[in-house]
Amino acid sequence: MFGADTITRIGNSGSNMYNFCVVSHVDSGKSTMVDALLSLNRLVSEELVGVARGMDTRPDEQRRCITMKSSSTVLLIKNPLKNNVACVNVMDTPGHFDFWAEVDAALGLVDGCFILIDVIEGIRNRTVSVIERAFKHRLFPVLVLNKIDKLLTISKMDESEIAEHLEGLITTVNSITAGFAAEEFFSKSEEIDIDKMDRHPFIFDPRRGNVIFASALNNWGFTLPQMAEVLSEKLKMPAQKILKNLWGHRYFNGKSFVGTPPSSRSKRFVSMCIFKYICQIFQAEREDFQDKLHSIAESLGLRLGEGTLDSKAILSKWLPMKKPLVECLFKFFPTAAVAQKYKLNIFGVQTPEVSHAMVTCHNDGPVLGFISKILLPYVDTDSGQPLGIGRLFSGTLRRGSKVRAIVNGESRVVTVSTVFLLMPRMNVRIEEVTAGNLFAISYDGMDTYTTLIDMEIESNDFFFNPSHSKALLTFKVDPSVPSQLPRLRQTLMKLDRMDSAMDFSISKKGEFLVSAVGPVHLEVIKKFVEKSRCDTQWSVPIVPMRETTISVRHRGIVESPLLYFDVQLGTLSDDVVDRVMEHQDDVKAGDYEFLHGLPFYDNVVSDKVLCFGPDHGCNVLLWSLPQQFRDSEFFNLISESLRKILIQSFQNATAVGPICGEKMHGIFIRITRIELAEFAKHEEIVASLKEQIQQSNEDEDEELVARLAEVTANYDREQNEKEVISHFHRGAVHSIITPIKMGFHEVFMGSGVRIVEPVYTIEAEFSSAWISKVTNWLQQKRGNVTQLNVRTGSDTYILSAELPVYESFNAQESLMSATSGFASFSIVGLIWKMIDEDPYFVPKTENELEDYIEGEFDEIFVKKMINHIRLVKGLLVDSQLNVDGEKLTNIKK
């Protein structure tokens, strides 16, 4: 193990610095694989590689055997291509859905990534998400097909079946990545160069060497170029010729390579030369043929002594895992100095000064860095300040230096207290860190996603907006002892700054509200609170909902003291909602070109989009007014103020819906006509009088006609317009924001309202014996099966399903209880889904009255859920709290 002085000396140049991370679906073997790299610096012994999980530094990570927080360490590794020692920063990331923020924070700091795939489980939904994020971060990837050994021990495949299975996996991955690559090429030119596509970093070909076949737990792995060199000596044939035929449907007939099998018993060249030997080793181990194992080891040139041998002992010596990892690291991952030019768009760099500093990556340039996360629970022992992990893109950051810290566009000057070198299970103090390095830092008032920029640079255009799972489960937290309230508040505020995925707020009633992504994330939060010596009580989870409508086009009138509005309210299609959420930057900039091509937009060319809400959400306000009214002097005088009022009213209306105070989802409100309130009332009176005249007799007729003439003569439209204009010019119109908001709510309630709830997409694995138990459990949780497949060559079912977040709390425990621990699920993603149940349904017809007998109607689920949400928020609940009043007991003092 090298000292900090040696590491800082070797890593002093960005051209000798490599930064990469390891990403995958949960339980694919990331931390296990990193052990092989740690062993290069003797941080993990060779005997414990694959078992130690040296990057899992937290006790709960070791206990659960999953990574919860991304961790980083620096290594010194010999570069075989340049024949020198390079400085390498490796980051291990979580695969669990609850800690997606940790993954995205890590991707923003590195330049390359190892993407692991469990060859037994195959391509999982979370794997696709990781690949997509890595592509958007412009990382250089290497594919690792892990747990090859399980194809023999569990799936019982032979050498031919292994080759076919692995080729299918790589083809599937390439079909996913090719879509990303093709989109990039289309954005640059009309024609796609197939040769360039084949050489794209995200197109994986084992012959290029960017695919590793591995068993990280058993510490062995290989690439095809590596094996071609081995076979070249044995077959007395050029390595390039072997490599060219070592993948795909290529066969060897004893003299030359052919594309068709010479006989029905012929095997692929890769199966015959590589997988055949691996299968023989596992077969001998399975049958406990020690003589055969010793013979195989001797034929491979291995000296393993006379003791008992197994597959791990032979393969880890013949094909050590660290060799292909080091080979791919230096062959496919760029140095920090080379890679930073690809990150300009990711960090929103626009000014030439910042762009030049980032591309050149010079130690003597201006300071330019980024803090992506806070290291929990580590603090600077001298100052007590939390440590933040980040990357320095330019300049030299020294202890005691002053820099500008920018968070959410707000800048302040901070003094660097301490700079640390990242090491596993410890952080070493250093005096300075240079460009291209990852580091830990402490200063007063640190936040996640902070830009550190030189005092001399005035630009604030260097930023990074990571995406992560939204905190959905909200809990009320109370201290068991009232005197601990200040300490609890301070602890939660501190944790809120450190954990980007957590939300902490204080309600109007003074309640502490903590939001977590999921149950595992909640457990981490609770552990942190417990360490602050606060005894707390946590409520049942509060799940956010959304309010929407099923009406395509519902008409209504919005009334205010000055103006009346004719509006249309309806639902937006899923295409529009998805497109709005994908183009949030365009929405914030007021650029709505992305709506072109959608029937919702193109069919109403005269419409003008006023805003999306709430806060650039997926609801839209438009106005489509008659041309004559738009050309009028009255409209031109009030249009700008009216526009602001309508936008504010719409934002307020969609932020707090009328059903249960939740945000609205996927609705549009189109204003088709604006009329003076006094004129509208005048027209209503005139219409009423005319109707009475038609129905009256001759005696009443004269009196009504006279009254009609009086009403008509007393109304002066021109004077009315002047009064309204005067109100707008005096700024006395803010009082109509609330009436307009309430009017939007009334129109909304008159349409077919529905509730939209968050739903987890989950995956579960179990044997056929438990399929009925799992489906019954899912039905009880209001979930539904989306896909059910059987794993090839086994009795294992892979179930994809949807589970409402409202039902997810303690769902894992109930599933394991129902299946005696033989089934569990993992969260893959999150979607929003409408509950197709009218919350205000009242039985009217005979059939409905028969179906809903008295007392049964109140049990409609969506109504109970709405009442629960309203009760928690302190809103009026329209329900009978006690059904049997006679059972109430009077308690006397």
Short mmCIF file of all heavy atoms in Angstrom, two decimals, residues 15-42:
data_model
loop_
_atom_site.label_atom_id
_atom_site.label_comp_id
_atom_site.label_asym_id
_atom_site.label_seq_id
_atom_site.Cartn_x
_atom_site.Cartn_y
_atom_site.Cartn_z
N SER A 15 -3.14 13.97 -17.04
CA SER A 15 -2.84 13.00 -18.10
C SER A 15 -2.43 11.65 -17.53
O SER A 15 -2.23 10.70 -18.28
CB SER A 15 -1.73 13.55 -19.00
OG SER A 15 -0.56 13.80 -18.25
N ASN A 16 -2.27 11.57 -16.21
CA ASN A 16 -1.93 10.29 -15.57
C ASN A 16 -2.97 9.90 -14.53
O ASN A 16 -2.69 9.14 -13.61
CB ASN A 16 -0.54 10.40 -14.91
CG ASN A 16 0.08 9.03 -14.66
OD1 ASN A 16 -0.10 8.11 -15.44
ND2 ASN A 16 0.81 8.91 -13.57
N MET A 17 -4.18 10.45 -14.69
CA MET A 17 -5.26 10.23 -13.74
C MET A 17 -6.45 9.58 -14.45
O MET A 17 -6.88 10.04 -15.51
CB MET A 17 -5.69 11.55 -13.10
CG MET A 17 -6.91 11.47 -12.22
SD MET A 17 -6.68 10.41 -10.79
CE MET A 17 -5.37 11.28 -9.95
N TYR A 18 -6.98 8.51 -13.86
CA TYR A 18 -8.14 7.81 -14.41
C TYR A 18 -9.24 7.76 -13.35
O TYR A 18 -8.97 7.44 -12.19
CB TYR A 18 -7.78 6.38 -14.83
CG TYR A 18 -6.79 6.29 -15.98
CD1 TYR A 18 -5.42 6.43 -15.75
CD2 TYR A 18 -7.23 6.09 -17.28
CE1 TYR A 18 -4.51 6.36 -16.79
CE2 TYR A 18 -6.32 6.02 -18.33
CZ TYR A 18 -4.97 6.15 -18.08
OH TYR A 18 -4.08 6.09 -19.12
N ASN A 19 -10.47 8.08 -13.75
CA ASN A 19 -11.61 8.07 -12.84
C ASN A 19 -12.71 7.22 -13.45
O ASN A 19 -13.16 7.49 -14.57
CB ASN A 19 -12.14 9.49 -12.61
CG ASN A 19 -11.08 10.42 -12.06
OD1 ASN A 19 -10.44 10.13 -11.05
ND2 ASN A 19 -10.86 11.55 -12.72
N PHE A 20 -13.15 6.20 -12.74
CA PHE A 20 -14.23 5.35 -13.25
C PHE A 20 -15.06 4.82 -12.09
O PHE A 20 -14.67 4.90 -10.92
CB PHE A 20 -13.67 4.19 -14.09
CG PHE A 20 -12.98 3.11 -13.29
CD1 PHE A 20 -13.69 2.01 -12.81
CD2 PHE A 20 -11.62 3.20 -13.01
CE1 PHE A 20 -13.05 1.02 -12.07
CE2 PHE A 20 -10.98 2.22 -12.27
CZ PHE A 20 -11.71 1.13 -11.80
N CYS A 21 -16.23 4.30 -12.43
CA CYS A 21 -17.13 3.72 -11.42
C CYS A 21 -17.64 2.37 -11.90
O CYS A 21 -17.43 1.97 -13.06
CB CYS A 21 -18.30 4.66 -11.12
SG CYS A 21 -19.44 4.88 -12.50
N VAL A 22 -18.30 1.66 -11.00
CA VAL A 22 -18.88 0.35 -11.30
C VAL A 22 -20.38 0.46 -11.06
O VAL A 22 -20.81 0.85 -9.96
CB VAL A 22 -18.27 -0.75 -10.41
CG1 VAL A 22 -18.77 -2.12 -10.81
CG2 VAL A 22 -16.75 -0.71 -10.47
N VAL A 23 -21.19 0.13 -12.07
CA VAL A 23 -22.64 0.29 -11.97
C VAL A 23 -23.33 -0.98 -12.45
O VAL A 23 -22.80 -1.72 -13.27
CB VAL A 23 -23.13 1.49 -12.81
CG1 VAL A 23 -22.61 2.80 -12.27
CG2 VAL A 23 -22.72 1.34 -14.28
N SER A 24 -24.53 -1.20 -11.91
CA SER A 24 -25.34 -2.35 -12.33
C SER A 24 -26.65 -2.36 -11.57
O SER A 24 -26.89 -1.51 -10.71
CB SER A 24 -24.59 -3.67 -12.07
OG SER A 24 -24.61 -3.99 -10.69
N HIS A 25 -27.46 -3.35 -11.88
CA HIS A 25 -28.65 -3.67 -11.09
C HIS A 25 -28.18 -4.20 -9.73
O HIS A 25 -27.03 -4.61 -9.57
CB HIS A 25 -29.47 -4.72 -11.84
CG HIS A 25 -30.78 -5.05 -11.20
ND1 HIS A 25 -31.90 -4.25 -11.34
CD2 HIS A 25 -31.16 -6.08 -10.41
CE1 HIS A 25 -32.89 -4.78 -10.67
NE2 HIS A 25 -32.48 -5.88 -10.10
N VAL A 26 -29.06 -4.18 -8.76
CA VAL A 26 -28.72 -4.64 -7.41
C VAL A 26 -28.33 -6.12 -7.44
O VAL A 26 -28.88 -6.92 -8.21
CB VAL A 26 -29.91 -4.40 -6.44
CG1 VAL A 26 -31.11 -5.26 -6.79
CG2 VAL A 26 -29.47 -4.64 -4.99
N ASP A 27 -27.34 -6.48 -6.62
CA ASP A 27 -26.86 -7.86 -6.46
C ASP A 27 -26.28 -8.45 -7.74
O ASP A 27 -26.43 -9.65 -8.01
CB ASP A 27 -28.00 -8.77 -5.96
CG ASP A 27 -28.38 -8.50 -4.53
OD1 ASP A 27 -27.52 -8.00 -3.78
OD2 ASP A 27 -29.54 -8.76 -4.16
N SER A 28 -25.58 -7.61 -8.52
CA SER A 28 -24.90 -8.14 -9.72
C SER A 28 -23.42 -8.38 -9.49
O SER A 28 -22.75 -8.92 -10.37
CB SER A 28 -25.09 -7.18 -10.89
OG SER A 28 -26.44 -7.13 -11.29
N GLY A 29 -22.90 -7.99 -8.31
CA GLY A 29 -21.51 -8.29 -7.98
C GLY A 29 -20.54 -7.14 -8.14
O GLY A 29 -19.35 -7.36 -8.37
N LYS A 30 -21.00 -5.90 -7.97
CA LYS A 30 -20.11 -4.73 -8.14
C LYS A 30 -19.01 -4.71 -7.08
O LYS A 30 -17.83 -4.64 -7.41
CB LYS A 30 -20.94 -3.44 -8.07
CG LYS A 30 -21.99 -3.30 -9.15
CD LYS A 30 -22.73 -1.98 -9.04
CE LYS A 30 -23.52 -1.88 -7.75
NZ LYS A 30 -24.58 -2.89 -7.64
N SER A 31 -19.42 -4.70 -5.80
CA SER A 31 -18.44 -4.62 -4.72
C SER A 31 -17.51 -5.83 -4.71
O SER A 31 -16.32 -5.72 -4.38
CB SER A 31 -19.16 -4.51 -3.36
OG SER A 31 -20.00 -3.38 -3.33
N THR A 32 -18.03 -6.97 -5.10
CA THR A 32 -17.22 -8.19 -5.19
C THR A 32 -16.13 -8.03 -6.23
O THR A 32 -14.98 -8.43 -6.02
CB THR A 32 -18.12 -9.39 -5.54
OG1 THR A 32 -19.16 -9.49 -4.57
CG2 THR A 32 -17.34 -10.68 -5.55
N MET A 33 -16.47 -7.45 -7.37
CA MET A 33 -15.50 -7.28 -8.45
C MET A 33 -14.42 -6.27 -8.08
O MET A 33 -13.25 -6.44 -8.43
CB MET A 33 -16.22 -6.83 -9.72
CG MET A 33 -15.34 -6.87 -10.96
SD MET A 33 -16.06 -6.01 -12.37
CE MET A 33 -15.71 -4.30 -11.92
N VAL A 34 -14.80 -5.20 -7.37
CA VAL A 34 -13.83 -4.16 -7.01
C VAL A 34 -12.74 -4.71 -6.09
O VAL A 34 -11.62 -4.21 -6.09
CB VAL A 34 -14.55 -2.96 -6.36
CG1 VAL A 34 -13.56 -1.92 -5.86
CG2 VAL A 34 -15.50 -2.31 -7.36
N ASP A 35 -13.05 -5.77 -5.34
CA ASP A 35 -12.04 -6.38 -4.48
C ASP A 35 -10.79 -6.77 -5.26
O ASP A 35 -9.67 -6.70 -4.74
CB ASP A 35 -12.61 -7.62 -3.79
CG ASP A 35 -13.48 -7.26 -2.58
OD1 ASP A 35 -13.50 -6.07 -2.21
OD2 ASP A 35 -14.12 -8.16 -2.02
N ALA A 36 -10.96 -7.21 -6.51
CA ALA A 36 -9.82 -7.62 -7.33
C ALA A 36 -8.88 -6.45 -7.58
O ALA A 36 -7.65 -6.61 -7.59
CB ALA A 36 -10.30 -8.20 -8.66
N LEU A 37 -9.45 -5.25 -7.76
CA LEU A 37 -8.61 -4.06 -7.94
C LEU A 37 -7.95 -3.63 -6.63
O LEU A 37 -6.80 -3.19 -6.61
CB LEU A 37 -9.44 -2.91 -8.52
CG LEU A 37 -9.94 -3.10 -9.95
CD1 LEU A 37 -10.89 -1.97 -10.34
CD2 LEU A 37 -8.76 -3.14 -10.93
N LEU A 38 -8.69 -3.76 -5.53
CA LEU A 38 -8.13 -3.40 -4.23
C LEU A 38 -6.95 -4.28 -3.87
O LEU A 38 -6.01 -3.85 -3.19
CB LEU A 38 -9.21 -3.49 -3.14
CG LEU A 38 -10.42 -2.56 -3.27
CD1 LEU A 38 -11.38 -2.78 -2.11
CD2 LEU A 38 -9.99 -1.10 -3.33
N SER A 39 -6.98 -5.52 -4.35
CA SER A 39 -5.88 -6.44 -4.03
C SER A 39 -4.58 -6.01 -4.70
O SER A 39 -3.49 -6.40 -4.25
CB SER A 39 -6.24 -7.86 -4.47
OG SER A 39 -6.29 -7.96 -5.89
N LEU A 40 -4.65 -5.21 -5.77
CA LEU A 40 -3.44 -4.73 -6.44
C LEU A 40 -2.61 -3.85 -5.52
O LEU A 40 -1.39 -3.78 -5.65
CB LEU A 40 -3.82 -3.95 -7.70
CG LEU A 40 -4.42 -4.77 -8.85
CD1 LEU A 40 -4.97 -3.84 -9.92
CD2 LEU A 40 -3.36 -5.71 -9.44
N ASN A 41 -3.28 -3.12 -4.61
CA ASN A 41 -2.58 -2.28 -3.63
C ASN A 41 -2.60 -2.90 -2.24
O ASN A 41 -2.38 -2.21 -1.24
CB ASN A 41 -3.20 -0.89 -3.59
CG ASN A 41 -2.82 -0.02 -4.77
OD1 ASN A 41 -3.11 1.16 -4.80
ND2 ASN A 41 -2.15 -0.58 -5.76
N ARG A 42 -2.87 -4.20 -2.17
CA ARG A 42 -2.87 -4.96 -0.92
C ARG A 42 -3.88 -4.41 0.10
O ARG A 42 -3.67 -4.52 1.31
CB ARG A 42 -1.47 -4.99 -0.30
CG ARG A 42 -0.43 -5.65 -1.21
CD ARG A 42 0.94 -5.65 -0.58
NE ARG A 42 1.94 -6.21 -1.48
CZ ARG A 42 3.24 -6.30 -1.20
NH1 ARG A 42 3.69 -5.84 -0.03
NH2 ARG A 42 4.06 -6.82 -2.06
#
